[in-house]
Amino acid sequence: MVYLTPYNFEDEILESDIPCLVKFSNRGCPLCLGMEDVYEALYSKYGSKVKFGTIDTKVNPDLAEVFEIDGVPTIFYFSKGNAEEVPYPEDPDAYSGYGQQYLINYLNNKIKEE
């Protein structure tokens, strides 16, 4: 998992040879704290197929602005330099917003498309 900044974003994500999942979050957000466990579990399961990155929107507001992040957590999927926002669930997980199974289903579908 890589911590992203304006200085490494292009190299790590836009020029990556494998798909990337990028989480925009910050420490002051309870759902973002819940997402940490979900993200770690996803990294354990998909770390060889998908690169995982995280952006703290309070530390790197410029990146949050580029992607028009209005609220956190927000997740983007990148493949071959193209960005796609992962839709926020209609029935969000109370602990993390994006539930683990929701993201597993999303990633499985994306990996099949690759």
Side-chain angles (χ1 to χ4, degrees), residues 2 17 19 21 24-25 29 42 46 54 58 67 69 85 89-90 92 95 98 108-109:
V2 64
D17 293 333
L21 202 65
F24 291 83
S25 63
C29 162
L42 292 171
Y46 295 97
T54 186
K58 298 233 182 202
F67 290 95
I69 304 300
E85 185 173 349
E90 290 181 20
Y95 178 69
Y98 294 91
N108 284 341
N109 287 335

Side-chain angles (χ1 to χ4, degrees), residues 31 35 71-75 85-99 102-103:
L31 289 177
M35 268 299 300
V72 290
T74 297
I75 299 175
E85 185 173 349
V86 177
Y88 196 74
E90 290 181 20
D91 185 20
D93 181 79
Y95 178 69
S96 62
Y98 294 91
Y102 177 83
L103 291 171

Side-chain angles (χ1 to χ4, degrees), residues 23 31-40 73 75 96 98 103:
K23 171 183 61 135
L31 289 177
C32 298
L33 294 176
M35 268 299 300
E36 288 181 12
D37 292 337
V38 171
Y39 218 59
E40 284 292 331
I75 299 175
S96 62
Y98 294 91
L103 291 171

Side-chain angles (χ1 to χ4, degrees), residues 18-86:
I18 63 172
C20 305
L21 202 65
V22 175
K23 171 183 61 135
F24 291 83
S25 63
N26 67 60
R27 287 281 191 205
C29 162
L31 289 177
C32 298
L33 294 176
M35 268 299 300
E36 288 181 12
D37 292 337
V38 171
Y39 218 59
E40 284 292 331
L42 292 171
Y43 175 71
S44 293
K45 183 174 177 80
Y46 295 97
S48 64
K49 299 176 186 169
V50 177
K51 184 183 285 189
F52 287 81
T54 186
I55 297 170
D56 186 315
T57 59
K58 298 233 182 202
V59 175
N60 292 296
D62 293 347
L63 283 173
E65 188 176 311
V66 167
F67 290 95
E68 300 176 354
I69 304 300
D70 292 328
V72 290
T74 297
I75 299 175
F76 272 78
Y77 179 84
F78 291 82
S79 181
K80 299 173 185 142
N82 296 311
E84 173 183 303
E85 185 173 349
V86 177

